[in-house]
Every structure is written in C-alpha cells, then in structure tokens.
Amino acid sequence: MKREQLKGLELSDEQIDKILSINGADIEKAKGSAGTDLESIQKENETLKSQIADRDKDLKALKKQAGDNEDLNQKYSELQDKYKTETEKLTHEVQQTKLNSALDTTLTGAKVRNTKAAKALLDMDKVKLNDKGELEGVSEQLDALKKSDAYLFDEGTKGGYDPKGGKGSDDNNEVNTMVDVFKN
C-alpha cells in the first residue's frame, strides 16, 4: 500500500499516517513470523536430508550384508555337500576294511595258502558283511574252490604215503650219493 493510493481515497494526512503505521506493523509482524517459519522449514529440510542420507547408508550396508549372507549360505551348502560326500566315502572305506579283514580271517581259517590268489578267484559282488560282522556268500565259494583249485588250500600231510628210499641214510639198499651212482 502506498501513500498516493490513500490520498486518492481523499483521506487526511493524519489518517494516512495511522493506516501506514498499522500496515507497517503488520508487515514487520509478518516478516518476523515468516522468518521464523522459514528458519524452521530450512532446519526441518536439513534434518530430513540428513535422515535420508543415513537411511541410504543403512540400506547400502544392509544390501552388502545380505549379499554376504548369500555367499555364506552358498559356502555353507558347499561345505555340507563336501562333508556329506567325505563321510560317505569314509564310511564306505571303513566297511570295505571290515569286509577285507573278515575275509582274511575266514580265508586263514579255511587254511588258504595264498589269500591274495583266493580273493582273486572269489566273486566279491556276492560277498557281504552283515550287521553282526559275519560274512555271507563266502562259504559256498570256498567249497567250490576246494573242489576246483585244491592246491590253494593246505590239507596237511596225508597218511599212507611212504616213498621208497624216503628214510634217508637208514636204507642200506639204496645209493646215498650221486658219486656212488656213477661208480657202478
């Protein structure tokens, strides 16, 4: 509002001064409250920007941790598979060792002269170790081997076989040395 506008309304100078002073006070009051409001809005704006920046940092950190979790989960799964495979392998090796030990004991008990040769002739697919630690499928195969390959088994000495001249130097009718053979 300007003084010329008020004079155009045919107001006195005294009235114009009062109106302008009231208007000036209102303008100052508006400036003061607007300034305070502007400062609070600016502070609030800065606070919100700071909060957004903090949230962005937190989200990036969370995303990184989530990525690490995926890597950790994958590594955990790989290790589980590896340990499962190794456990199965070791269990199989232990079972095989038990089987071989029981087979060696059985072959020794059957008086096999060469266990390696006897094992080579056995069908190992039919040989199993049961839960009690006993071999199954071996006795039948050993009986068959005794018939087909008796030389693998130590049958001991057989009685009734007495070769001539087998008594050594007590036999006077026999030649004792090779020199005596050629003398005659």
Side-chain angles (χ1 to χ4, degrees):
M1 192 180 312
K2 295 185 179 180
R3 187 175 283 275
E4 289 81 31
Q5 291 172 337
L6 293 174
K7 280 188 180 182
L9 294 174
E10 298 179 4
L11 295 175
S12 68
D13 285 334
E14 189 178 308
Q15 289 174 333
I16 291 174
D17 288 337
K18 285 184 182 180
I19 291 174
L20 285 178
S21 81
I22 293 172
N23 187 31
D26 286 342
I27 290 175
E28 289 302 318
K29 184 178 176 185
K31 280 185 183 178
S33 67
T36 306
D37 288 343
L38 182 63
E39 285 177 21
S40 67
I41 290 173
Q42 286 175 340
K43 286 181 183 178
E44 186 177 345
N45 188 20
E46 288 176 18
T47 304
L48 291 174
K49 284 181 181 179
S50 173
Q51 287 177 356
I52 289 174
D54 289 343
R55 288 183 187 154
D56 286 345
K57 279 194 258 179
D58 291 343
L59 286 174
K60 285 180 184 178
L62 186 61
K63 185 175 182 179
K64 185 178 179 183
Q65 288 175 354
D68 290 345
N69 266 346
E70 289 175 16
D71 291 342
L72 289 174
N73 286 336
Q74 183 178 1
K75 287 179 184 177
Y76 178 74
S77 295
E78 289 172 3
L79 286 176
Q80 273 185 324
D81 293 341
K82 177 183 174 185
Y83 292 147
K84 181 180 178 185
T85 304
E86 287 178 0
T87 301
E88 289 172 355
K89 181 181 174 185
L90 288 174
T91 302
H92 179 352
E93 288 177 7
V94 167
Q95 289 293 69
Q96 194 64 35
T97 301
K98 286 180 181 179
L99 176 76
N100 287 336
S101 176
L103 185 59
D104 286 340
T105 303
T106 301
L107 291 175
T108 302
K111 297 183 181 179
V112 172
R113 291 181 186 199
N114 187 340
T115 57
K116 187 174 180 180
K119 282 182 186 178
L121 295 173
L122 293 175
D123 184 3
M124 293 305 291
D125 291 336
K126 294 180 181 178
V127 177
K128 302 289 180 209
L129 189 64
N130 65 17
D131 294 337
K132 296 177 184 177
E134 300 169 345
L135 284 176
E136 296 175 352
V138 173
S139 59
E140 301 85 23
Q141 291 187 52
L142 285 177
D143 291 340
L145 275 179
K146 283 181 183 178
K147 291 178 184 174
S148 66
D149 298 305
Y151 64 90
L152 288 173
F153 298 90
D154 184 10
E155 296 295 325
T157 58
K158 296 190 178 195
Y161 180 69
D162 190 19
K164 187 171 184 179
K167 302 217 187 231
S169 62
D170 291 341
D171 190 3
N172 291 334
N173 294 334
E174 297 294 320
V175 178
N176 290 332
T177 64
M178 292 299 283
V179 175
D180 293 335
V181 170
F182 290 112
K183 285 184 185 177
N184 293 334

PDB file of all heavy atoms in Angstrom, residues 3-26:
ATOM      1  N   ARG A   3       1.200   5.665  -0.188  1.00  0.00           N
ATOM      2  CA  ARG A   3       0.597   6.909   0.291  1.00  0.00           C
ATOM      3  C   ARG A   3      -0.259   7.538  -0.803  1.00  0.00           C
ATOM      4  O   ARG A   3      -1.357   8.044  -0.519  1.00  0.00           O
ATOM      5  CB  ARG A   3       1.699   7.880   0.718  1.00  0.00           C
ATOM      6  CG  ARG A   3       1.181   9.135   1.384  1.00  0.00           C
ATOM      7  CD  ARG A   3       2.294   9.990   1.900  1.00  0.00           C
ATOM      8  NE  ARG A   3       2.880   9.511   3.128  1.00  0.00           N
ATOM      9  CZ  ARG A   3       2.416   9.776   4.350  1.00  0.00           C
ATOM     10  NH1 ARG A   3       1.366  10.495   4.507  1.00  0.00           N
ATOM     11  NH2 ARG A   3       2.992   9.286   5.389  1.00  0.00           N
ATOM     12  N   GLU A   4       0.148   7.506  -2.054  1.00  0.00           N
ATOM     13  CA  GLU A   4      -0.595   8.114  -3.151  1.00  0.00           C
ATOM     14  C   GLU A   4      -1.949   7.447  -3.341  1.00  0.00           C
ATOM     15  O   GLU A   4      -2.950   8.100  -3.686  1.00  0.00           O
ATOM     16  CB  GLU A   4       0.176   8.015  -4.482  1.00  0.00           C
ATOM     17  CG  GLU A   4       1.394   8.903  -4.560  1.00  0.00           C
ATOM     18  CD  GLU A   4       2.595   8.289  -3.858  1.00  0.00           C
ATOM     19  OE1 GLU A   4       2.734   7.030  -3.810  1.00  0.00           O
ATOM     20  OE2 GLU A   4       3.390   9.028  -3.313  1.00  0.00           O
ATOM     21  N   GLN A   5      -1.981   6.118  -3.124  1.00  0.00           N
ATOM     22  CA  GLN A   5      -3.241   5.395  -3.249  1.00  0.00           C
ATOM     23  C   GLN A   5      -4.222   5.878  -2.182  1.00  0.00           C
ATOM     24  O   GLN A   5      -5.417   6.027  -2.445  1.00  0.00           O
ATOM     25  CB  GLN A   5      -3.007   3.882  -3.106  1.00  0.00           C
ATOM     26  CG  GLN A   5      -2.258   3.240  -4.255  1.00  0.00           C
ATOM     27  CD  GLN A   5      -1.907   1.797  -3.951  1.00  0.00           C
ATOM     28  OE1 GLN A   5      -1.834   1.390  -2.801  1.00  0.00           O
ATOM     29  NE2 GLN A   5      -1.681   1.032  -5.017  1.00  0.00           N
ATOM     30  N   LEU A   6      -3.699   6.100  -0.974  1.00  0.00           N
ATOM     31  CA  LEU A   6      -4.573   6.549   0.112  1.00  0.00           C
ATOM     32  C   LEU A   6      -5.039   8.001  -0.117  1.00  0.00           C
ATOM     33  O   LEU A   6      -6.173   8.352   0.222  1.00  0.00           O
ATOM     34  CB  LEU A   6      -3.870   6.419   1.470  1.00  0.00           C
ATOM     35  CG  LEU A   6      -3.585   4.988   1.926  1.00  0.00           C
ATOM     36  CD1 LEU A   6      -2.769   4.986   3.204  1.00  0.00           C
ATOM     37  CD2 LEU A   6      -4.864   4.227   2.132  1.00  0.00           C
ATOM     38  N   LYS A   7      -4.199   8.852  -0.693  1.00  0.00           N
ATOM     39  CA  LYS A   7      -4.611  10.233  -0.990  1.00  0.00           C
ATOM     40  C   LYS A   7      -5.680  10.241  -2.062  1.00  0.00           C
ATOM     41  O   LYS A   7      -6.552  11.092  -2.079  1.00  0.00           O
ATOM     42  CB  LYS A   7      -3.423  11.074  -1.460  1.00  0.00           C
ATOM     43  CG  LYS A   7      -2.587  11.550  -0.329  1.00  0.00           C
ATOM     44  CD  LYS A   7      -1.547  12.526  -0.848  1.00  0.00           C
ATOM     45  CE  LYS A   7      -0.703  12.998   0.292  1.00  0.00           C
ATOM     46  NZ  LYS A   7       0.288  13.957  -0.076  1.00  0.00           N
ATOM     47  N   GLY A   8      -5.610   9.261  -2.940  1.00  0.00           N
ATOM     48  CA  GLY A   8      -6.623   9.143  -3.991  1.00  0.00           C
ATOM     49  C   GLY A   8      -7.976   8.819  -3.396  1.00  0.00           C
ATOM     50  O   GLY A   8      -9.017   9.079  -3.992  1.00  0.00           O
ATOM     51  N   LEU A   9      -8.003   8.298  -2.182  1.00  0.00           N
ATOM     52  CA  LEU A   9      -9.249   7.980  -1.495  1.00  0.00           C
ATOM     53  C   LEU A   9      -9.758   9.185  -0.702  1.00  0.00           C
ATOM     54  O   LEU A   9     -10.752   9.095  -0.017  1.00  0.00           O
ATOM     55  CB  LEU A   9      -9.046   6.774  -0.545  1.00  0.00           C
ATOM     56  CG  LEU A   9      -8.743   5.431  -1.194  1.00  0.00           C
ATOM     57  CD1 LEU A   9      -8.432   4.388  -0.123  1.00  0.00           C
ATOM     58  CD2 LEU A   9      -9.906   4.955  -2.030  1.00  0.00           C
ATOM     59  N   GLU A  10      -9.034  10.278  -0.782  1.00  0.00           N
ATOM     60  CA  GLU A  10      -9.347  11.537  -0.141  1.00  0.00           C
ATOM     61  C   GLU A  10      -9.321  11.413   1.368  1.00  0.00           C
ATOM     62  O   GLU A  10     -10.179  11.886   2.090  1.00  0.00           O
ATOM     63  CB  GLU A  10     -10.701  12.075  -0.622  1.00  0.00           C
ATOM     64  CG  GLU A  10     -10.718  12.357  -2.081  1.00  0.00           C
ATOM     65  CD  GLU A  10     -12.063  12.868  -2.563  1.00  0.00           C
ATOM     66  OE1 GLU A  10     -12.988  13.086  -1.773  1.00  0.00           O
ATOM     67  OE2 GLU A  10     -12.161  13.033  -3.758  1.00  0.00           O
ATOM     68  N   LEU A  11      -8.261  10.776   1.873  1.00  0.00           N
ATOM     69  CA  LEU A  11      -8.055  10.652   3.322  1.00  0.00           C
ATOM     70  C   LEU A  11      -7.120  11.763   3.760  1.00  0.00           C
ATOM     71  O   LEU A  11      -6.286  12.237   2.999  1.00  0.00           O
ATOM     72  CB  LEU A  11      -7.444   9.289   3.665  1.00  0.00           C
ATOM     73  CG  LEU A  11      -8.304   8.040   3.386  1.00  0.00           C
ATOM     74  CD1 LEU A  11      -7.507   6.784   3.664  1.00  0.00           C
ATOM     75  CD2 LEU A  11      -9.547   8.047   4.219  1.00  0.00           C
ATOM     76  N   SER A  12      -7.209  12.125   5.014  1.00  0.00           N
ATOM     77  CA  SER A  12      -6.344  13.172   5.539  1.00  0.00           C
ATOM     78  C   SER A  12      -4.960  12.586   5.794  1.00  0.00           C
ATOM     79  O   SER A  12      -4.787  11.363   5.882  1.00  0.00           O
ATOM     80  CB  SER A  12      -6.930  13.751   6.823  1.00  0.00           C
ATOM     81  OG  SER A  12      -6.895  12.785   7.848  1.00  0.00           O
ATOM     82  N   ASP A  13      -3.969  13.493   5.938  1.00  0.00           N
ATOM     83  CA  ASP A  13      -2.596  13.037   6.170  1.00  0.00           C
ATOM     84  C   ASP A  13      -2.494  12.274   7.488  1.00  0.00           C
ATOM     85  O   ASP A  13      -1.722  11.313   7.603  1.00  0.00           O
ATOM     86  CB  ASP A  13      -1.626  14.224   6.194  1.00  0.00           C
ATOM     87  CG  ASP A  13      -1.367  14.757   4.783  1.00  0.00           C
ATOM     88  OD1 ASP A  13      -1.515  13.941   3.835  1.00  0.00           O
ATOM     89  OD2 ASP A  13      -0.990  15.901   4.661  1.00  0.00           O
ATOM     90  N   GLU A  14      -3.252  12.694   8.462  1.00  0.00           N
ATOM     91  CA  GLU A  14      -3.241  12.028   9.764  1.00  0.00           C
ATOM     92  C   GLU A  14      -3.790  10.612   9.644  1.00  0.00           C
ATOM     93  O   GLU A  14      -3.227   9.649  10.189  1.00  0.00           O
ATOM     94  CB  GLU A  14      -4.107  12.833  10.753  1.00  0.00           C
ATOM     95  CG  GLU A  14      -3.981  12.360  12.149  1.00  0.00           C
ATOM     96  CD  GLU A  14      -4.830  13.239  13.078  1.00  0.00           C
ATOM     97  OE1 GLU A  14      -4.691  14.466  13.047  1.00  0.00           O
ATOM     98  OE2 GLU A  14      -5.608  12.621  13.798  1.00  0.00           O
ATOM     99  N   GLN A  15      -4.843  10.432   8.909  1.00  0.00           N
ATOM    100  CA  GLN A  15      -5.432   9.110   8.699  1.00  0.00           C
ATOM    101  C   GLN A  15      -4.483   8.222   7.898  1.00  0.00           C
ATOM    102  O   GLN A  15      -4.317   7.025   8.186  1.00  0.00           O
ATOM    103  CB  GLN A  15      -6.767   9.233   7.950  1.00  0.00           C
ATOM    104  CG  GLN A  15      -7.861   9.828   8.773  1.00  0.00           C
ATOM    105  CD  GLN A  15      -9.139  10.059   7.950  1.00  0.00           C
ATOM    106  OE1 GLN A  15      -9.076  10.239   6.731  1.00  0.00           O
ATOM    107  NE2 GLN A  15     -10.260  10.059   8.618  1.00  0.00           N
ATOM    108  N   ILE A  16      -3.838   8.816   6.909  1.00  0.00           N
ATOM    109  CA  ILE A  16      -2.900   8.069   6.069  1.00  0.00           C
ATOM    110  C   ILE A  16      -1.734   7.578   6.938  1.00  0.00           C
ATOM    111  O   ILE A  16      -1.303   6.430   6.821  1.00  0.00           O
ATOM    112  CB  ILE A  16      -2.415   8.926   4.884  1.00  0.00           C
ATOM    113  CG1 ILE A  16      -3.574   9.166   3.911  1.00  0.00           C
ATOM    114  CG2 ILE A  16      -1.259   8.252   4.165  1.00  0.00           C
ATOM    115  CD1 ILE A  16      -3.243  10.110   2.773  1.00  0.00           C
ATOM    116  N   ASP A  17      -1.213   8.443   7.846  1.00  0.00           N
ATOM    117  CA  ASP A  17      -0.093   8.052   8.709  1.00  0.00           C
ATOM    118  C   ASP A  17      -0.486   6.899   9.628  1.00  0.00           C
ATOM    119  O   ASP A  17       0.288   5.947   9.842  1.00  0.00           O
ATOM    120  CB  ASP A  17       0.377   9.254   9.556  1.00  0.00           C
ATOM    121  CG  ASP A  17       1.115  10.292   8.711  1.00  0.00           C
ATOM    122  OD1 ASP A  17       1.635   9.898   7.635  1.00  0.00           O
ATOM    123  OD2 ASP A  17       1.206  11.435   9.147  1.00  0.00           O
ATOM    124  N   LYS A  18      -1.685   6.956  10.201  1.00  0.00           N
ATOM    125  CA  LYS A  18      -2.151   5.881  11.081  1.00  0.00           C
ATOM    126  C   LYS A  18      -2.289   4.570  10.301  1.00  0.00           C
ATOM    127  O   LYS A  18      -1.883   3.511  10.780  1.00  0.00           O
ATOM    128  CB  LYS A  18      -3.475   6.257  11.721  1.00  0.00           C
ATOM    129  CG  LYS A  18      -3.343   7.259  12.822  1.00  0.00           C
ATOM    130  CD  LYS A  18      -4.674   7.514  13.481  1.00  0.00           C
ATOM    131  CE  LYS A  18      -4.530   8.570  14.554  1.00  0.00           C
ATOM    132  NZ  LYS A  18      -5.780   8.852  15.205  1.00  0.00           N
ATOM    133  N   ILE A  19      -2.851   4.650   9.129  1.00  0.00           N
ATOM    134  CA  ILE A  19      -3.045   3.437   8.320  1.00  0.00           C
ATOM    135  C   ILE A  19      -1.689   2.845   7.940  1.00  0.00           C
ATOM    136  O   ILE A  19      -1.471   1.629   8.044  1.00  0.00           O
ATOM    137  CB  ILE A  19      -3.889   3.732   7.058  1.00  0.00           C
ATOM    138  CG1 ILE A  19      -5.332   4.043   7.459  1.00  0.00           C
ATOM    139  CG2 ILE A  19      -3.853   2.560   6.085  1.00  0.00           C
ATOM    140  CD1 ILE A  19      -6.205   4.480   6.304  1.00  0.00           C
ATOM    141  N   LEU A  20      -0.752   3.689   7.545  1.00  0.00           N
ATOM    142  CA  LEU A  20       0.569   3.203   7.148  1.00  0.00           C
ATOM    143  C   LEU A  20       1.332   2.614   8.337  1.00  0.00           C
ATOM    144  O   LEU A  20       2.069   1.620   8.170  1.00  0.00           O
ATOM    145  CB  LEU A  20       1.390   4.307   6.495  1.00  0.00           C
ATOM    146  CG  LEU A  20       0.974   4.671   5.062  1.00  0.00           C
ATOM    147  CD1 LEU A  20       1.815   5.823   4.523  1.00  0.00           C
ATOM    148  CD2 LEU A  20       1.087   3.487   4.133  1.00  0.00           C
ATOM    149  N   SER A  21       1.184   3.185   9.534  1.00  0.00           N
ATOM    150  CA  SER A  21       1.877   2.641  10.704  1.00  0.00           C
ATOM    151  C   SER A  21       1.289   1.284  11.080  1.00  0.00           C
ATOM    152  O   SER A  21       2.014   0.331  11.416  1.00  0.00           O
ATOM    153  CB  SER A  21       1.840   3.595  11.872  1.00  0.00           C
ATOM    154  OG  SER A  21       0.641   3.515  12.561  1.00  0.00           O
ATOM    155  N   ILE A  22      -0.036   1.154  10.990  1.00  0.00           N
ATOM    156  CA  ILE A  22      -0.665  -0.149  11.274  1.00  0.00           C
ATOM    157  C   ILE A  22      -0.216  -1.157  10.223  1.00  0.00           C
ATOM    158  O   ILE A  22       0.130  -2.308  10.535  1.00  0.00           O
ATOM    159  CB  ILE A  22      -2.207  -0.013  11.310  1.00  0.00           C
ATOM    160  CG1 ILE A  22      -2.642   0.835  12.513  1.00  0.00           C
ATOM    161  CG2 ILE A  22      -2.862  -1.387  11.350  1.00  0.00           C
ATOM    162  CD1 ILE A  22      -4.121   1.163  12.504  1.00  0.00           C
ATOM    163  N   ASN A  23      -0.215  -0.730   8.987  1.00  0.00           N
ATOM    164  CA  ASN A  23       0.197  -1.617   7.902  1.00  0.00           C
ATOM    165  C   ASN A  23       1.669  -2.019   8.057  1.00  0.00           C
ATOM    166  O   ASN A  23       2.035  -3.175   7.837  1.00  0.00           O
ATOM    167  CB  ASN A  23      -0.038  -0.919   6.553  1.00  0.00           C
ATOM    168  CG  ASN A  23       0.208  -1.869   5.389  1.00  0.00           C
ATOM    169  OD1 ASN A  23      -0.002  -3.063   5.498  1.00  0.00           O
ATOM    170  ND2 ASN A  23       0.672  -1.333   4.279  1.00  0.00           N
ATOM    171  N   GLY A  24       2.543  -1.072   8.453  1.00  0.00           N
ATOM    172  CA  GLY A  24       3.970  -1.356   8.661  1.00  0.00           C
ATOM    173  C   GLY A  24       4.159  -2.365   9.772  1.00  0.00           C
ATOM    174  O   GLY A  24       5.011  -3.267   9.690  1.00  0.00           O
ATOM    175  N   ALA A  25       3.366  -2.201  10.872  1.00  0.00           N
ATOM    176  CA  ALA A  25       3.468  -3.154  11.981  1.00  0.00           C
ATOM    177  C   ALA A  25       3.045  -4.549  11.526  1.00  0.00           C
ATOM    178  O   ALA A  25       3.681  -5.564  11.895  1.00  0.00           O
ATOM    179  CB  ALA A  25       2.614  -2.685  13.145  1.00  0.00           C
ATOM    180  N   ASP A  26       2.000  -4.591  10.727  1.00  0.00           N
ATOM    181  CA  ASP A  26       1.555  -5.891  10.202  1.00  0.00           C
ATOM    182  C   ASP A  26       2.624  -6.521   9.294  1.00  0.00           C
ATOM    183  O   ASP A  26       2.869  -7.739   9.354  1.00  0.00           O
ATOM    184  CB  ASP A  26       0.248  -5.737   9.416  1.00  0.00           C
ATOM    185  CG  ASP A  26      -0.963  -5.507  10.330  1.00  0.00           C
ATOM    186  OD1 ASP A  26      -0.834  -5.806  11.532  1.00  0.00           O
ATOM    187  OD2 ASP A  26      -2.004  -5.085   9.808  1.00  0.00           O
TER     188      ASP A  26
END
